[in-house]
Structures are given as structure tokens and as C-alpha cells.
Amino acid sequence: MKVSFLIHNAYGIGGTITTTFNLAGALAERHEVEIVSVLRHREHPHLTPHPGVRLRALVDLRRERDHPLHRRPAQVFPAAEYRHRQYSELTDRRIAESLADTPADVVIGTRPGLNVHLAVQAPRHVARVGQEHLTLDNHSPALRTALRRAYRGLDVLTTVTEADAASYRRKMRLPGVRVEALPNSVPDPVLPTADGTAKVVVAAGRLVPVKRFDLIIEAFARVAAEFPDWQLRIYGKGEEQDRLRGLIERLGLWNNVFLMGAATPMEAEWVKGSIGVAASDFEPFGMTLVEAMRCGLPFVSTDCPHGPREIIKDGEDGRLVPVGDSAAFGEALLGLVRDDELRRRMGRAALDNARRFAPGPVVARAEGMLQEAIEARGGDRPGAPSRGGVHRTLVSQGHAARDLARAAASSALRTVRKGRR
């Protein structure tokens, strides 16, 4: 099987890049695999691809940032997609050429805009698999409307949680498209796992508002007041760095809370801790949760949509607390800090329970899904909804109508605002 991944920028840092490299590397043990990066901005990627994975880029920003076609807005990549401003007529053309010439049996898109390219531009003989790393409800009504039209050209659409897969089946009209949950996988640890004795809490991720590192710092202030020998180490970089540093200073936590910068890979840092934490307002999956648990750390997380509740078993291998509640977060964290035996027991449970996200079971599911998509593309695709499809179609029509109305209202509001300037 020849597999090609189409990704925004493989040379950056982020959860989608990590999980793409992980899955590509695992598949490369038995298949021909390449990662096609639409953009490139540096010589070497932050992550090292598996030796069996070919990595190539379509637009090198170091030399082509001022290309005349790159100054014109993209026409294929949907305007409502978050990354639209980074795309152009040049990326439209290069992606189309790459898909037309691909030797792959199956191409996997890794974000909505690229899934649209795949759905409308891939050759007929190529199986088309779109991955969604965000949630359907996180997309704007305008984007959902665009995806309803384009995604019918996919063979398979994968989400990272069962909850989001159910949402797509209920709210989108995608007859003949297989919608399945495929969780992200995390490589097997290579270092000895954490033993729960270190007085260190670890957090990791992009320093952006939605990740709510401010809430983690505020919650940890309660820990530091009772246990001044404990530390909180935050790994990552982003726009919130200065604001978080100011918060640390205002709370007098400069001896307890440390902004460590980015670290890749994170395994060596997780195993130095005893508890993992995340406080996102929403989390489509939660790679950091799985990474920490696979290193033997119990995890405290907000119970946000959708990922954490499908990863953490509350009270067994970690704790789930209400979104935005720093007091509840601090109390859950203190419960693990105060009780050494509870912390170690939950750490052992986390290690056992997170094995379901190991490459073996996840890759086996992915291989079966990809092979079935290739075989289906070689024959006739099913076009009729399955039993119960009439009800789902009526439900999805209702959601489609609401999204169209919201998108129209949003467009009208923008027009009015422009007229007032």
C-alpha cells in the first residue's frame, strides 16, 4: 500500500504534526509512505520523520514568499478556514499538481481546507481520507456549509473522538462517506516511567488563550501555599508567554512555576514529573494527556469537549473538573499532591489504561480502514444511506439550514460594518 499524507506545514510544531509523524512512521514499517507539506519555512523539521518516510514540500517560503501567485488569495482552499490567509493561487496550483501526479493508493488530508482539495482534486483511482483534528462544533457555520458540499467527495472521514464522529453523522449530509473515530497514537515510551516521587507537576502545549495556562498557574498557587517544595513546569511557546510570566510574578510564584520553553520530544520531561495537567476550554483530543499517561503520570484536566472524557477515567487514572473552575482544579490537584499512595496508584492505572493509544492497536485500525477505502474506490461506492438514514438525513438538513442562515447573517453583518467605516 502506498500512503501519502497532505499536511499544512510539517516543519512547525503542533499536535497534528506530531500525530501525523507518529502514524506515518508506524505505517512505514510495512508500507510506502510520504508526507507532503504544503508549506516549508525552515531547513529541517522540528520532528525527525521515520527513516522510511519521504518528506517533501510544495511551496518553500524561504524562496517563494514573494512569488506573484502567492500574493493572490486561494480559490480552492475555503475562505472560512482558519489558515486561508496562508494559502494562495500558488498553493492551489501546487496542491492540484501534486494530487494529479501522486503515485499513492490513498491520500490522507489533515485539516479541513486540505480535505477540500483532496475531495475535489484527487484522481478517481485514489482513495480519499479526510482527517478532522478539531471538532465539528468548533467550525464556523460558513465553514460547515463549505464542508458539507465538498466532503461528499471523500471516501472516509475520521475524527479523533467517538463523540465528534457521532456529531458528524448526525449533523452533516455525507451519503456514502464512512465516518469513523480514529484516536491519535503515541509511541511506546523508551525511558523508565515516572514513579510518582518527584514533586513536580508538568503541563505542555501552545501558550495560547484556549489552553488556559493562567488557570493552571492560579490553581497551582493553592498547592504552593501548602507545599512550597512542589514545582509547576510549563513547556511550550506562544503569544501568552509574557502574560503568563506577569501572572507568575504577581502571584509570587517565581520559585515554584517555571516557563520552560518548547521541548521535543516531551517524554524526557514527563518522566521527571508526578502529575500532568491541562485546563483547555476545548480539546478535540488531548495528545499531552496520552503522552503523560503513557509515561505513568495521573492527569488532572478540565472536562471540556471532547477528548479528555474519552481518555481519562475520572477517579481511576486522573481527575476531570469543570471548565474554567480554578478552585475545583486546585482542589483536584491538591488531592493528588497530598496523597502519595493515591498518586502512585493512579499513575499505574494511567500507564495501563493509556496502552489503548499505543501504535499497535491504533495503526491496525488505520490499516484496515485504509485498505477498505482503497478496495471501495476500486469498485462502486455505496451511495444510499444505511438503515435509519432517512432520519439522519432529515436531522442533517435541519443543521444545514441553520448553518446557512448563520453564515448569511454573519456575511450581512460584515457588509454593514464595512459600510459604516
Side-chain angles (χ1 to χ4, degrees):
M1 183 164 55
K2 296 180 180 179
V3 183
S4 178
F5 290 85
L6 183 61
I7 192 169
H8 168 65
N9 188 341
Y11 295 80
I13 297 175
T16 299
I17 300 168
T18 301
T19 192
T20 298
F21 274 56
N22 288 346
L23 181 55
L27 289 171
E29 295 291 337
R30 291 181 294 279
H31 308 283
E32 293 184 36
V33 182
E34 71 167 358
I35 296 175
V36 179
S37 180
V38 176
L39 302 177
R40 178 179 185 173
H41 69 290
R42 65 199 307 266
E43 181 65 23
H44 300 291
H46 286 280
L47 298 177
T48 302
H50 183 283
V53 175
R54 179 191 178 200
L55 174 62
R56 61 187 178 93
L58 302 181
V59 175
D60 192 332
L61 296 175
R62 297 173 298 172
R63 296 188 293 270
E64 298 181 293
R65 189 179 299 274
D66 295 324
H67 192 291
L69 290 181
H70 198 51
R71 296 178 179 179
R72 301 176 187 172
Q75 300 301 311
V76 180
F77 197 94
E81 225 267 37
Y82 169 70
R83 295 284 187 182
H84 180 260
R85 291 186 178 181
Q86 294 176 259
Y87 284 73
S88 63
E89 284 192 18
L90 181 62
T91 59
D92 279 355
R93 178 178 297 183
R94 297 279 174 85
I95 293 170
E97 292 170 349
S98 176
L99 289 172
D101 296 336
T102 184
D105 301 307
V106 57
V107 178
I108 303 171
T110 57
R111 65 175 304 111
L114 299 181
N115 295 340
V116 170
H117 273 279
L118 180 58
V120 302
Q121 293 179 324
R124 289 184 58 84
H125 67 277
V126 174
R128 308 160 184 192
V129 177
Q131 290 183 340
E132 278 283 357
H133 291 276
L134 292 176
T135 65
L136 177 60
D137 291 340
N138 184 246
H139 295 328
S140 69
L143 181 57
R144 289 197 295 262
T145 298
L147 298 184
R148 277 189 184 91
R149 297 172 184 146
Y151 274 13
R152 298 176 191 182
L154 298 174
D155 296 294
V156 179
L157 178 66
T158 69
T159 64
V160 290
T161 63
E162 294 287 353
D164 201 38
S167 186
Y168 270 93
R169 296 186 194 108
R170 186 174 68 255
K171 298 179 180 180
M172 302 285 272
R173 298 179 61 192
L174 302 174
V177 180
R178 178 178 175 182
V179 181
E180 298 286 348
L182 182 70
N184 296 331
S185 69
V186 173
D188 295 322
V190 297
L191 299 174
T193 56
D195 61 9
T197 61
K199 297 179 179 182
V200 177
V201 177
V202 183
R206 292 178 297 117
L207 306 185
V208 293
V210 72
K211 297 295 186 180
R212 293 304 308 271
F213 285 103
D214 58 329
L215 187 145
I216 295 174
I217 293 170
E218 290 168 358
F220 188 80
R222 301 183 65 186
V223 175
E226 188 173 334
F227 297 91
D229 53 345
W230 274 72
Q231 293 183 358
L232 168 63
R233 299 176 185 174
I234 298 174
Y235 293 87
K237 60 182 182 179
E239 63 192 69
E240 289 273 278
Q241 182 168 319
D242 290 341
R243 191 173 80 86
L244 295 176
R245 184 175 288 111
L247 177 60
I248 292 167
E249 292 176 356
R250 285 197 304 276
L251 294 176
L253 295 173
W254 47 80
N255 289 325
N256 299 92
V257 180
F258 303 93
L259 301 179
M260 307 293 290
T264 304
M266 267 295 296
E267 182 184 346
E269 310 311 321
W270 290 122
V271 298
K272 295 174 186 174
S274 288
I275 305 169
V277 290
S280 301
D281 288 334
F282 81 92
E283 192 66 70
F285 181 66
M287 281 290 287
T288 58
L289 280 70
V290 178
E291 288 175 353
M293 292 169 70
R294 294 219 70 204
C295 291
L297 273 66
F299 212 96
V300 178
S301 171
T302 46
D303 188 16
C304 60
H306 290 289
R309 71 189 63 166
E310 293 192 15
I311 297 171
I312 295 172
K313 297 181 179 180
D314 189 30
E316 181 178 328
D317 53 22
R319 293 296 313 278
L320 293 170
V321 300
V323 174
D325 191 335
S326 62
F329 201 101
E331 195 58 37
L333 191 52
L334 271 170
L336 289 173
V337 171
R338 289 170 179 153
D339 192 330
D340 293 347
E341 179 51 37
L342 174 65
R343 187 171 67 249
R344 292 175 186 136
R345 184 171 69 249
M346 281 194 173
R348 292 191 294 269
L351 188 61
D352 289 338
N353 292 343
R355 287 197 175 99
R356 67 190 189 277
F357 300 108
V362 174
V363 173
R365 288 175 59 182
E367 281 182 315
M369 190 181 302
L370 297 179
Q371 190 60 50
E372 289 171 10
I374 292 169
E375 292 171 0
R377 175 54 64 171
D380 293 327
R381 292 182 61 206
S386 59
R387 187 171 60 183
V390 172
H391 171 70
R392 280 199 294 272
T393 298
L394 292 174
V395 170
S396 64
Q397 283 177 336
H399 287 288
R402 284 195 290 273
D403 282 344
L404 281 169
R406 290 170 183 161
S410 178
S411 178
L413 181 60
R414 286 196 299 271
T415 300
V416 170
R417 286 173 174 168
K418 287 181 180 178
R420 289 175 176 171
R421 292 174 184 170

